[in-house]
Amino acid sequence: ASVAGLTAIQATRTRSWPETCTASLRARRRPAGQLQLTAARLASSAAEITARNQPGGIEATWRLDLGRLFTAAAELLDVQSAAGPVAVAGTTRGRALLGRGPDAAATTLAVTAGLERFSWSVAGRPVWEDELVVIDVEAVGNGTTDTVVLDQASLRTNPARPGEADLAQDRRDGVV
């Protein structure tokens, strides 16, 4: 399915989402009759988000053009600062996998995300600029609706500088 030209009226102001979006869902019927979602995708020129149900768990991937999303969001929300115009640019992409650990009761989460050529400025003054930032998160634990117990967790960040060979190679290989 595709959607284009979404508009809404808030008080006397017309708000619109300028991006054309395409969404798809794929499902299968399980032997007991339940419907199981196997894949989902949301895509536009500013973003692509996918999710797949696979034997190891649920995998989600994303690519977001932050500048285009910020510009589109500014049509719907008041995101500007009293100090002056806010601008955001860059790309984020990543992968998350949620599944079962070696102990069938445990849940695992692994996330790798990258932020490339990111800049954020207010009134023309840079607030944050980075060529590449990589974040890796891994966690194993159990939980209920009101309690989460982490058995193991790790967080690694790697703010990179241009020319770092291993991260540059990862970018060429499509890892980040």
Side-chain angles (χ1 to χ4, degrees), residues 66-130:
L66 299 174
R68 290 184 90 143
L69 281 177
F70 185 81
T71 300
E75 294 290 324
L76 297 173
L77 308 167
D78 185 11
V79 294
Q80 294 303 323
S81 167
V86 176
V88 175
T91 303
T92 181
R93 63 186 83 235
R95 176 180 178 266
L97 180 61
L98 181 66
R100 290 285 175 203
D103 169 7
T107 299
T108 62
L109 172 66
V111 178
T112 298
L115 189 57
E116 301 175 28
R117 294 177 300 285
F118 179 74
S119 67
W120 170 26
S121 63
V122 176
R125 292 185 313 273
V127 175
W128 180 9
E129 291 181 332
D130 258 305

Side-chain angles (χ1 to χ4, degrees), residues 127-151:
V127 175
W128 180 9
E129 291 181 332
D130 258 305
E131 182 63 25
L132 179 65
V133 176
V134 179
I135 299 170
D136 291 309
V137 176
E138 293 180 10
V140 178
N142 294 287
T144 63
T145 57
D146 60 351
T147 305
V148 173
V149 176
L150 289 177
D151 298 324

Side-chain angles (χ1 to χ4, degrees), residues 43-62:
S44 74
S45 60
E48 181 173 2
I49 302 167
T50 62
R52 293 183 305 162
N53 192 348
Q54 53 189 21
I58 299 170
E59 177 188 47
T61 60
W62 65 90

Side-chain angles (χ1 to χ4, degrees), residues 22-39:
T22 302
S24 64
L25 296 173
R26 191 170 52 227
R28 68 176 181 207
R29 186 163 306 279
R30 298 186 60 156
Q34 306 100 335
L35 198 58
Q36 179 184 32
L37 185 64
T38 57

